[in-house]
Amino acid sequence: FSDIGGGDIQAGGMVMKLMLLQDRRAYSLTFWTVFFGFILIPIMALGIELGRYYYARAEIAKAADAAALAAAAEISQKVFEETGDLQPTSRTWANAQAFASMNNGYLSQYGVNAVVTGISVDAGEDTVLVLVSANLDRLFPSVVPDVVVTESGYAEIRAFSR
């Protein structure tokens, strides 16, 4: 029984192993497994995360625009009438923050809050610039470093007369 086809079973097993090692048909499966696992899936995840990032930036920009409109509505007309200067008041900051928070619906459900970080008034142009920032760390995996987004909103101040 040991001499079938000119060799024994042991030698036939070695020949079979050598044939399998030289056969390149299985490399295709290995290549595609590595390609999907290490290249395609991370690229798809990156695409999803970038989409989430840009949507969050748009939400912060929307909050900044709303905050700018609210701040422009709260510029002190009394100070303007007395001095001719356009000055934000404490109520201006509070109103801007309230409107920034109200227009941050998508991000607030994830615990991300939009914070008014600056209000400046350009008396020459009669405009208000409001800066709104948010830390987006809660939206991304822990391997991503701090993601802080700052957007600006502009609004015209309603006409005052002295």
Side-chain angles (χ1 to χ4, degrees):
F1 192 75
S2 67
D3 198 321
I4 298 176
D8 62 359
I9 295 176
Q10 186 73 12
M14 290 297 281
V15 170
M16 188 65 117
K17 285 181 184 177
L18 286 174
M19 286 177 51
L20 283 175
L21 288 174
Q22 293 173 353
D23 187 9
R24 295 187 175 258
R25 288 181 291 178
Y27 288 144
S28 177
L29 177 64
T30 305
F31 170 78
W32 288 110
T33 303
V34 169
F35 178 77
F36 282 122
F38 292 110
I39 296 172
L40 192 61
I41 291 174
I43 288 174
M44 288 174 35
L46 179 65
I48 291 168
E49 296 302 324
L50 281 176
R52 182 183 288 175
Y53 170 76
Y54 283 111
Y55 188 78
R57 263 185 85 175
E59 283 281 313
I60 299 301
K62 180 177 74 169
D65 288 339
L69 287 171
E74 290 297 328
I75 295 296
S76 176
Q77 184 169 0
K78 181 180 177 184
V79 171
F80 178 74
E81 289 171 355
E82 293 172 0
T83 66
D85 195 19
L86 297 171
Q87 291 293 321
T89 63
S90 61
R91 188 168 172 189
T92 306
W93 280 84
N95 204 23
Q97 182 59 55
F99 274 78
S101 296
M102 282 190 279
N103 284 280
N104 191 30
Y106 169 75
L107 295 177
S108 64
Q109 71 184 354
Y110 294 106
V112 176
N113 299 314
V115 179
V116 175
T117 56
I119 297 178
S120 62
V121 179
D122 184 356
E125 297 282 328
D126 290 340
T127 58
V128 174
L129 167 68
V130 176
L131 298 175
V132 176
S133 296
N135 188 337
L136 303 178
D137 284 346
R138 291 182 174 225
L139 295 178
F140 301 106
S142 61
V143 295
V144 179
D146 286 345
V147 181
V148 177
V149 174
T150 301
E151 292 290 332
S152 57
Y154 295 93
E156 286 188 26
I157 299 171
R158 62 178 177 234
F160 290 142
S161 59
R162 279 179 98 179

